[in-house]
Each structure stands twice: as structure tokens, then as C-alpha cells.
Amino acid sequence: MALLQHAPAVDRALFLNSSSSSTSFHQLMLQGPAFFPGHLHRRRVTFEVRAGASPISPKDCIVEGPGRRQALALGAITTCISLTYANSASSEVKKGFQSVVDQKDGYSFLYPFGWQEVIIEGQDKVLKDVIEPLESVSVYMVPTTKQDVRDFGPPQEVADTLIQKVLAPPSQKIKLVEAAEHDDDGRAYYTFEFIARAPNFTRHALGAISIGNGKFYTLTTGANERRWEKMKDKLQTVINSFKVFDVYGG
């Protein structure tokens, strides 16, 4: 806890609340080829959209008739907002990628075609390459009362604390390469790059964090260091595609 105590700008409660999931999170991010336990199956509401998906017409969002309007208006509006966002995301899918839009939790991202979904305890969404197990992407969320990621401190400080306390076990040798801030549609994001060295492998990783819907979102992706040059552009596309959006209804 020493590092956390010396990072006053970071909300300690965020990382303390995440401690119960730290073991499985470490397994996901930075362990070797056998780090995917196949359990904790959950039912989710998630769009996986490929390029060329049929567009959603505005007329699909019209509820006709006074009786139906009264009964279905809220549900129809919520559904159409989500479907419209999913359609918007699908129009931006790059060749060689697929899209995930989670309308329940309010986030979306692209991932390389062919990666498969796996279930990891403590993670909201995980996809990985079936041959190269260190090539993966995951989304992790914890509740927060903060409204903006900048409330936790500057990018380098927040990224370093997150890596040290959540993304990597103490046995890993960690190097934070860089951290930066950008704004997308009025929402602040921090992105960062780091290297984690273990006795039998080195993982080169990228991350993105933001806040919305009362949650602190962390997306991480990476690859074995030996494949970094081949994979870095694809992984950067994953990071650049990550979006958090407001969830309406419930």
C-alpha cells in the first residue's frame, strides 16, 4: 500500500474497491499461456458488429399509436438510442476488425478479426487470440463517484498507480513508457503504454481509461514483446477506438 499512500491525487477508494478482483485481473493481463480459467459465465447485452451491417433507419425508432406510445415510449427511446449508437460504431469498423458495443454498460471498441471471447472472473469483456495468448483485450470497471478521469490526477501518475496496484503483480518488473490525455466528444480519456517483464515472458501493453455512468473504465490490450512490432498498429487501433457513452434508462 506504500505506493498508494504516496499518490494522494488518486482516489484510494477506487483501487481499494478493486482489490478483490486483483488476482484474476493479474492473471488476465500478465501471466503465461494458461491464464484463462473458463468460468463465471454471465448473460450480457452486447452488440458485436461487423463491417457492412444493415443500417438502422429512423423509422425503426417510431412508436405508432397512442396506446403503444404510452406503454412503450421509454423502452423504445432507450433501445433506439442504443441501436443508433451501435449502427454508428459499425460504420466505423476498419477492415480486419470487429466491433463490440455494450449498450448495458456504455462502452464500445474494435478488436482484431478472429479473436475469441473468453470469460474471466472480474472482467466485463475479454477477447483473445487463440494461438498467441498474450494478445488480448479486456474491459474492467469499478464504481466511482468522480465525474472526470482528470479528478484522479495527471495521466502519468494515474497510469503508474493503476499499473502497479491493479494491472501487474509485485513480481513483475514494470516500465511505464508514456501516458497522455485526449478529449473525445467532451469526455476525457487517459491512454498509456507499458512493458511488464516476467521471468518467462515480456508483455508490451496499451491501456485507456475514462469515467462515465458512475464507473471507472479500464481497457487494456497487448502482445508478447517479440510480436510487438507486428501487432502495435492493430493494438493502437483498439485503444483509439475505445469509447464510453452515456447509458439511458435502466
Side-chain angles (χ1 to χ4, degrees):
M1 299 298 294
L3 177 61
L4 192 58
Q5 292 171 351
H6 291 295
V10 178
D11 189 335
R12 298 177 186 178
L14 170 68
F15 299 100
L16 291 174
N17 289 340
S18 68
S19 62
S20 61
S21 300
S22 294
T23 300
S24 57
F25 201 53
H26 296 159
Q27 291 172 343
L28 167 67
M29 290 294 95
L30 298 169
Q31 290 188 15
F35 69 114
F36 284 107
H39 64 287
L40 196 70
H41 292 266
R42 294 178 295 169
R43 299 187 65 180
R44 302 185 48 72
V45 181
T46 303
F47 283 97
E48 294 196 24
V49 188
R50 298 189 183 188
S54 299
I56 298 171
S57 168
K59 69 181 181 181
D60 296 329
C61 291
I62 297 176
V63 181
E64 298 180 350
R68 293 185 66 198
R69 182 179 295 109
Q70 183 176 8
L72 301 175
L74 179 59
I77 291 171
T78 301
T79 300
C80 289
I81 289 172
S82 299
L83 291 176
T84 301
Y85 190 93
N87 183 61
S88 175
S90 72
S91 66
E92 300 172 0
V93 176
K94 296 178 63 174
K95 183 178 180 180
F97 290 84
Q98 291 176 262
S99 175
V100 169
V101 179
D102 189 322
Q103 63 170 342
K104 176 178 177 291
D105 290 312
Y107 66 83
S108 67
F109 63 91
L110 303 180
Y111 65 95
F113 184 83
W115 285 14
Q116 301 296 311
E117 183 172 4
V118 295
I119 306 300
I120 302 295
E121 186 174 5
Q123 306 303 301
D124 195 69
K125 189 76 170 178
V126 182
L127 298 117
K128 65 179 283 286
D129 186 275
V130 296
I131 298 174
E132 295 287 343
L134 292 182
E135 293 175 14
S136 64
V137 59
S138 71
V139 177
Y140 173 75
M141 301 177 300
V142 293
T144 181
T145 58
K146 301 292 188 183
Q147 300 297 313
D148 192 302
V149 69
R150 291 169 291 199
D151 293 340
F152 289 106
Q156 178 131 358
E157 182 179 310
V158 175
D160 186 65
T161 303
L162 183 64
I163 294 166
Q164 298 285 352
K165 303 302 297 185
V166 180
L167 300 182
S171 60
Q172 301 286 334
K173 294 182 179 180
I174 304 301
K175 177 185 177 181
L176 177 62
V177 178
E178 63 178 354
E181 174 188 340
H182 73 274
D183 184 275
D184 191 322
D185 197 24
R187 192 183 306 275
Y189 294 79
Y190 287 173
T191 57
F192 53 94
E193 177 182 347
F194 68 99
I195 298 171
R197 301 185 187 278
N200 59 335
F201 69 91
T202 299
R203 190 169 195 260
H204 204 136
L206 301 173
I209 55 180
S210 191
I211 288 178
N213 305 304
K215 301 173 184 177
F216 183 100
Y217 295 79
T218 303
L219 179 143
T220 52
T221 187
N224 195 305
E225 181 67 49
R226 63 179 170 78
R227 285 176 53 82
W228 174 251
E229 289 302 319
K230 181 177 182 178
M231 291 298 299
K232 65 180 181 180
D233 289 342
K234 289 184 178 181
L235 301 180
Q236 191 64 58
T237 295
V238 175
I239 290 296
N240 292 343
S241 73
F242 180 55
K243 302 290 184 295
V244 173
F245 57 92
D246 293 331
V247 174
Y248 299 93

